[in-house]
Amino acid sequence: MEAIEEDWKAVEGAISQLHKGATADLASTETAARRVAQAMRCAYDPFEDKEVPNFATMAKEAEAALNAFAESCKEGNKAALMDLGKTLQEQHCARCHDATEEARG
């Protein structure tokens, strides 16, 4: 989990830099985003949490969003990165974490 946290911090850092108009290291951000996306695969296969409603669906959607973000890094598409960056945490990370917390109490 710590490795995912570090990679996620790199993604968040790049998003923050882009919103400030600064330059971000898109190559390393792409790598970090792809690693987080790979980790999401574990959330639906083979370690899906069956106690959390729609857990696998949320993991698949987060994986797709992170891969889209990584692809935008690869392409250097800063406008797409800024748009995706607005929604990654709220629509994917927080949603799944909140659902897990609610299911487990």
Side-chain angles (χ1 to χ4, degrees):
M1 211 47 197
E2 285 181 29
I4 294 169
E5 290 259 343
E6 291 304 313
D7 284 332
W8 176 248
K9 286 178 186 176
V11 170
E12 281 186 316
I15 292 167
S16 178
Q17 287 179 310
L18 291 171
H19 280 289
K20 292 176 184 175
T23 303
D25 181 353
L26 298 184
S28 66
T29 304
E30 174 193 358
T31 300
R34 291 201 192 278
R35 282 193 299 250
V36 177
Q38 287 175 333
M40 296 301 102
R41 188 170 298 133
C42 293
Y44 64 85
D45 183 35
F47 303 112
E48 178 184 353
D49 188 338
K50 305 266 188 212
E51 293 177 29
V52 179
N54 301 313
F55 194 79
T57 299
M58 289 185 285
K60 287 176 185 177
E61 290 172 355
E63 177 188 22
L66 285 157
N67 279 325
F69 186 87
E71 196 59 32
S72 294
C73 286
K74 183 178 179 179
E75 295 168 355
N77 187 341
K78 291 180 183 178
L81 289 171
M82 290 176 69
D83 283 342
L84 288 165
K86 292 176 190 174
T87 62
L88 275 177
Q89 204 285 329
E90 183 178 303
Q91 288 183 1
H92 298 289
C93 302
R95 179 176 73 149
C96 191
H97 286 257
D98 290 348
T100 300
E101 190 173 307
E102 184 176 319
R104 299 221 170 133

